[in-house]
Each structure stands twice: as structure tokens, then as C-alpha cells.
Amino acid sequence: MKALLKTEPGVGNIDLLDIDEPTVGPNEVKIAVKYTGICGTDLHIYHETFKSYPPVIIGHEFSGVVADAGENISKVKSGDRVAVLGSTAVTCGACHYCETGYYMFCSERRGMGHGVNGSFTQYAVVREDMVYKIPDNVSLEEAALSEPLACAVQAIEELTNIQVGDTVLLSGPGPIGLICLSLLAVKGCKVIVAGTSADKMRLEIAKKLGADVVVDVTAEDLQTVVMSETNGMGADVTVECAGAAPSINSCLQALKKRGKHIQVGIAGKEITMDFDIILYKQIQLFGSLAHSMKTWNRVMRILEQKKVDLQPIITHKLPLTQWKEAFDLCEQKQCGKVLLSHSS
């Protein structure tokens, strides 16, 4: 079967290769992968700014259909449509973080696509507990966004109390940012979405998803816009999804005194910032790393209840053979979420 592998350390070193099809063990589920989303982590792996333990099949945001199930499997059967919690591919299962559902902090954790073979391929084999059946009213395309939806749900719903009527500045209208926007719109917040001129397409998607104001920071002064929209107070909450130093600093500057800042974007390098602003404004600072077990249970309910519309965020579906074109679209920000598939 074809698989997209990080073959060795270094910038690039990603190739589409022929490898053996995996077999299923008695406690495993074999999934025919239908759609896999390109994540910012995949781009970091390409640029060698995220450790991937090559050689490894990359990709971790995916949906598919159960192709085979081991003899001890009872949760799913062949033909079931599923999403997969790839972040728990390897955990110790016994530490404080595993026992409380915060598996992301397990010191032994390895996720699919960067430590364990991932989903940019035809078949993936996983444990039964990693598999979640997709509600009948949810498409496989939408289900492929379960993992980024989980990241957004933790950031917006679980870390702090964002309320109806709050003004939220969301900086970075990539796929995660757009999903965060969708959740904020459902909550009844006033949302200002900021991006650069390179984000023109994504800012247009933000308008469709319910952004009250969109700002191209290369053409408008963001601080002026935020102060105008908040009667000079500043935003109640800032959500930073770009992982860029100018974006992070702009969020902290635009935040009101005693406001809340949620850091979602990964910078991937050291950045310079005015740390005293946290003290002088008495800012509540939250870091949101991926998701937890309780997040995934909530995500399945959100999908089934159709509380957010993920379809406008999916802008491209390409075959796995066009992976480089798909990566370039993401690098150039000429897309929302890009899905790769064997069936496209």
C-alpha cells in the first residue's frame, strides 16, 4: 500500500512509498482510512521543528471504515464508520495524567504520525479504545476534523468561563482558529478575527462562520479596531491560534485589564514578548495543549447535535498522491482544512 513517510530527520525527507499492508492483532482494529486532515504539526514535521521519530507514516486527523477487527474486539465491527483518537497511541496508562484523562502529559506518550505510524496511508491499525463510532448524521469528511475540533473544544469550552456577550479577539484564522470561531459564535460572543493579507481567503470563511469583525492587520491597526469595538476597554478574551510573535504580542496588548488570554498556536521557537504586561494587566494566561479524554466524549456529542458547521472549513479534498500540492496550499494559506484521501 502507499504511505506518506518521514524517512529520516532533517527538513523535508517526506516521500510517498510502497509499504506492506498491516495485519490486525486480536485486540486491534484495522481501519480503511478515508480522509486525513493536514495539521500544522505535519508542516512542523516537514520543516523539522517537531520531533517525529522517523521513519514513520505521518498524519493523525482521520476518519475511516473498519476493515477488520481482532477476535477480542466488541466495540466496533467491520463496516462501522469511525474517528480515531490518535494521540494515545502509546501511553504508560498508569501515571497521574493517564489516570485523570490528561494523556497529553504522559512522559511516555507517542501519538500517531510522530512516533507511531499514522494515517496518511490506506490502512491503519489501532487499539479498540482509540476508536469512536461516528454518528449516522455525520459525514466522514466532518469526522476527519474530530481531532482539531477536540483541540478547539478544550481551548474554548474547558479552560475558562467564556460567556455570552464577551468580546473575543481571535488571532490566526487557520483551521483550528476557524473551529474556535464557530464555537464562540454558538456561545453568543462578539468575535473579532485578525489575520494578515495572506489570510484573505480564510478571513472570508470567518465571515461566513459568524465573525462580527475581520481585520487584515497589514491594512488596519488592530489595536484601534479592538478599542473601537469595546468602547476603549479591550477584549475580554484573546485566543491566539497563529503561534507567531507579532500575533501573541498584539493579543496581549488588545486584552483588557484582568482579561483572559488562551494560547493555542505553537510558535515552534523562542519568541520575544513583554512579559511584564501579564503582571501590569493582571492577565489570566491559559495554555491549551490538544485535548483530554473528557474532550473527546464532548466532541462526539457536538458532532451528533450539529452544533457547529464544519463543512465551510473544508475547502480542498485531494488524493494522497498530491500531498505536496496539498502541503503547499497549507503553507501558502490558500485553504481552510485540506483533506487527503485514497478515494478522491
Side-chain angles (χ1 to χ4, degrees), residues 1-5 15-22 30-37 42 56-65 112-113 116-126 318-321 323 339-344:
M1 67 178 186
K2 295 288 187 183
L4 191 62
L5 284 91
D15 288 301
L16 188 62
L17 303 174
D18 285 303
I19 65 169
D20 292 336
E21 187 177 313
K30 183 177 180 179
I31 298 167
V33 178
K34 296 303 180 183
Y35 294 100
T36 300
D42 300 315
V56 65
I57 302 170
I58 62 174
H60 59 277
E61 303 177 358
F62 73 107
S63 64
V65 176
M112 292 183 73
V116 173
N117 280 335
S119 56
F120 283 134
T121 186
Q122 189 171 0
Y123 292 100
V125 171
V126 301
L318 297 171
L320 186 61
T321 52
W323 71 269
L339 300 179
L340 292 179
S341 172
H342 276 276
S343 59
S344 294

Side-chain angles (χ1 to χ4, degrees), residues 26-315:
N27 299 307
E28 294 177 324
V29 179
K30 183 177 180 179
I31 298 167
V33 178
K34 296 303 180 183
Y35 294 100
T36 300
I38 297 176
C39 173
T41 302
D42 300 315
L43 301 180
H44 280 295
I45 289 172
Y46 183 90
H47 291 288
E48 195 64 14
T49 54
F50 187 93
K51 193 169 185 180
S52 58
Y53 306 94
V56 65
I57 302 170
I58 62 174
H60 59 277
E61 303 177 358
F62 73 107
S63 64
V65 176
V66 175
D68 194 9
E71 59 188 44
N72 296 331
I73 301 300
S74 59
K75 182 177 178 181
V76 293
K77 63 184 184 303
S78 292
D80 284 345
R81 303 178 320 132
V82 295
V84 177
L85 174 49
S87 300
T88 62
V90 175
T91 60
C92 76
C95 70
H96 168 74
Y97 300 110
C98 286
E99 289 180 342
T100 55
Y102 289 96
Y103 42 76
M104 294 301 299
F105 302 102
C106 173
S107 60
E108 297 182 23
R109 189 189 72 85
R110 294 288 183 270
M112 292 183 73
H114 51 89
V116 173
N117 280 335
S119 56
F120 283 134
T121 186
Q122 189 171 0
Y123 292 100
V125 171
V126 301
R127 297 190 316 273
E128 182 178 30
D129 63 282
M130 296 166 64
V131 177
Y132 287 75
K133 289 180 68 173
I134 299 169
D136 292 339
N137 62 339
V138 177
S139 69
L140 284 163
E141 293 94 331
E142 292 171 300
L145 272 65
S146 296
E147 199 273 346
L149 175 56
C151 293
V153 167
Q154 173 174 275
I156 302 304
E157 298 292 337
E158 296 177 351
L159 294 184
T160 185
N161 185 24
I162 302 174
Q163 299 180 331
V164 139
D166 281 348
T167 297
V168 181
L169 169 62
L170 189 151
S171 183
I176 292 287
L178 292 172
I179 299 173
C180 287
L181 162 62
S182 299
L183 293 170
L184 291 165
V186 168
K187 292 173 76 72
C189 297
K190 179 178 182 178
V191 188
I192 303 167
V193 178
T196 68
S197 56
D199 293 310
K200 182 178 179 181
M201 178 185 183
R202 292 171 169 181
L203 291 173
E204 289 300 317
I205 298 173
K207 291 178 184 177
K208 296 176 184 177
L209 292 173
D212 296 277
V213 181
V214 299
V215 183
D216 174 354
V217 299
T218 58
E220 297 180 81
D221 182 71
L222 179 60
Q223 305 305 317
T224 299
V225 173
V226 172
M227 292 305 162
S228 174
E229 294 291 334
T230 60
N231 296 316
M233 284 286 293
D236 298 292
V237 182
T238 52
V239 182
E240 205 289 321
C241 297
S247 173
I248 295 169
N249 284 307
S250 290
C251 283
L252 296 176
Q253 291 167 17
L255 192 59
K256 75 176 187 181
K257 295 170 183 175
R258 303 190 75 245
K260 302 168 184 176
H261 175 83
I262 302 172
Q263 186 61 38
V264 181
I266 299 172
K269 58 184 178 182
E270 291 186 3
I271 65 168
T272 300
M273 61 175 288
D274 177 11
F275 202 76
D276 281 346
I277 197 171
I278 297 171
L279 181 148
Y280 287 123
K281 284 191 174 182
Q282 203 168 311
I283 290 169
Q284 297 179 61
L285 187 63
F286 299 87
S288 187
L289 177 65
H291 35 68
S292 68
M293 195 61 72
K294 70 176 181 180
T295 318
W296 267 77
N297 294 327
R298 182 188 294 268
V299 162
M300 291 300 119
R301 295 196 300 271
I302 291 172
L303 287 172
E304 184 174 23
Q305 296 169 18
K306 295 288 188 179
K307 293 302 184 185
V308 294
D309 185 7
L310 299 176
Q311 284 293 349
I313 299 171
I314 303 168
T315 58

